[in-house]
Amino acid sequence: MISVEGLKVEFGVKPLFVDASFVINDRDRIALVGKNGAGKSTLLKILCGQQKATEGTVSIPNDCRIGYLPQVMILQDDTTVREEAQKAFADITKMKERLDKMNRELAERTDYESAGYLALIEKYTTEHERYLMMGAESREAELERTLMGLGFLRTDFERPTSEFSGGWRMRIELAKILLQKPDVLLLDEPTNHLDIESIQWLEQFLAQSSSAVVLVSHDRAFINHVSNRTLEISCGKVIDYKVKYNEYVVLRKERREQQIRAYENQQKEVADMKAFIERFRYQATKAVQVQQKIKQLEKIVPIEIDEVDNSAMHLKFPPCLRSGDYPVICDEVRKDYGAHTVFDHVSLTIKRGEKVAFVGKNGEGKSTLVKCIMGEIPFTGELKVGHNIQIGYFAQNQAQLLDENLTVFQTIDYVAKGEIRLKINDILGAFMFGGEESDKKVKVLSGGERSRLAMIRLLLEPVNLLILDEPTNHLDMPSKDVLKEAIKAFDGTAIIVSHDREFLDGLVTKVYEFGGGKVKEHLGGIYDFLREKKISELNELGQIGPTSPAGNKTVPSTSESPADQSATISKALSYAERKEQLKQKNRAEKAVKASEAKIEKMEVRLKELDELLMIPENASDMTLVTEYTSTKKCLDEEVEKWEQLSEELETITQNIESR
């Protein structure tokens, strides 16, 4: 699909990479990896035509459509969420306008037998079939599914984009790119602004998409689930591994071990040749052999060993003061913003030394509870911070509080104490501030660089309660490993707000799930939580009210007082209502499952028809085309019906749970 040959990119004296050659094929899911500064984002910009290479060619077919999501982009603020997302259908909208124009012309003309009229009918028919096959009739349903998959609510669709943060607006841009269904998707850190559920939805979307994908991400779990191929930029070369990310890590290690063994054998061979030459250089009887050895030595091509990024290092938090046994205790905590309740009835206890995660969709109150613990905002209920607690807090706005007139080195030098001051350059290198980068002033750093610098400063401060709000958004994998090891070795307590499953895996022993105004505690690691959550969704059944030993409804006793009898009758009525609601729920669940079965059956048939239409001799078979069009229309109608049934089921479930 896209062919890259002999690519070379230079910035200054040393090139980023040279002689890069590879091909992006249909349905490739490529993880583009390498340390920060290796040239990953640059390569994506070259592939989408935003930047030119120093040398080499990038061959892209004329009909190949590319969708590119950069890390930073200029966003529009003059539309609603729905209107902005609908811009993805600009081509379909233009096609609809052409069809309408042709339709009007057909209605106005009367020369029904002329060649021009017949040609217009044929053009209209071809264009209309193409319009239907592009899924134009179901675009609104697809738009809503995509926006909701990325975390938006239906109530958000008509809100102006200016009301949303930069991260949420980046989600809109991602939705637009996905809705365009390009042939090749180039995604640069798409998960930076997504929560766990949205990341999982994106994983499934990319797995089912027919587009080829080239992906840059520091989320190990995400790229491993999505990728089936890995391109590594290392030592100025682009190396192609035909495996997913986890397998690439193993192969890369084996490759380097083989290179080391081959290099050692070559060095031994060279040493033996040189020793032979020196020993017999002046013996006439060995002159021919010496000359042969000299020629062999000149022909040897030195074996290169792939460099390994050794910037990552082990780092520990400084010793901290022992805190009380319970650093954080919440009892019936509630937070309201006007008429909106963020959460209520929050009761939790975090013990000394625990590492816990706050997870959930964006906007469910994770950062709000953190601010309550910090004492930054008012709330109702009781929240106690334990004895001798020293809080180290990292949030995105922490980066804005750095002194802009200091250099990177000075910022860290002012907080480093003891022996750690001797390792400042190593620490800065581990977080991508090596060499001349450490002499930069804070005021010239990007937002991501400032966040990393604020994280380093926090790592060097003596605290016993760490609160980290999305700490990994701007860290590459080696830097995340440094931070993860430091937190694991930390002898204090840690609260981590994060969507990065790989980072949380093996780090936290308890997960607090935020959603629906509630906070639920889950014991175990992050993957235990995800498995448990899936099971709980499948077994979400309400408990029926009190029954007698025979299984019949409890009836009021005649010995009760009138008031007691009235109360009992009221309970019985309540039970009858609840039973009726449960029946409604069962009927709704059956209707949803039946609709899902129909959708699955039609999707299978559409796939079969699609494969049949790909065969050249079937391309003009109007029977297949008609069946494809009618099946697609029925599928779209059934999807809309399924959405209505699902909403009804959700309403019934909420009514049952609220009683």
Side-chain angles (χ1 to χ4, degrees), residues 191-196 199 219 358-359 470 472-473 497-502 504:
T191 63
N192 267 3
H193 303 286
L194 302 181
D195 51 40
I196 287 178
I199 291 173
D219 187 330
F358 284 3
V359 303
E470 298 292 0
T472 63
N473 271 3
V497 181
S498 179
H499 63 263
D500 191 329
R501 293 157 295 171
E502 189 71 22
L504 294 175

Side-chain angles (χ1 to χ4, degrees), residues 12 17 34 52 62 122 137 158-159 164 201 203 217 275 286 337 348 407 419 478 489 493 516 521 553 596:
F17 46 80
K52 297 292 184 183
N62 292 331
E122 186 176 350
E137 297 299 320
E158 307 308 324
R159 289 173 57 190
F164 291 88
W201 179 88
E203 281 178 4
S217 177
K286 299 284 187 178
Y337 284 115
L348 59 87
T407 65
E419 294 183 0
T493 309
E521 180 184 276
K553 290 184 290 186
E596 287 173 345

Side-chain angles (χ1 to χ4, degrees), residues 31 33 220 223-225 227-230 240-255:
V33 301
R220 275 193 182 94
I223 62 172
N224 191 55
H225 290 153
S227 65
N228 58 18
R229 182 177 164 195
T230 306
D240 194 352
Y241 295 82
K242 309 289 185 182
V243 293
K244 63 167 60 179
Y245 179 79
N246 274 3
E247 295 171 25
Y248 142 77
V249 173
V250 176
L251 289 178
R252 189 185 191 283
K253 183 179 179 182
E254 292 175 354
R255 170 193 169 100

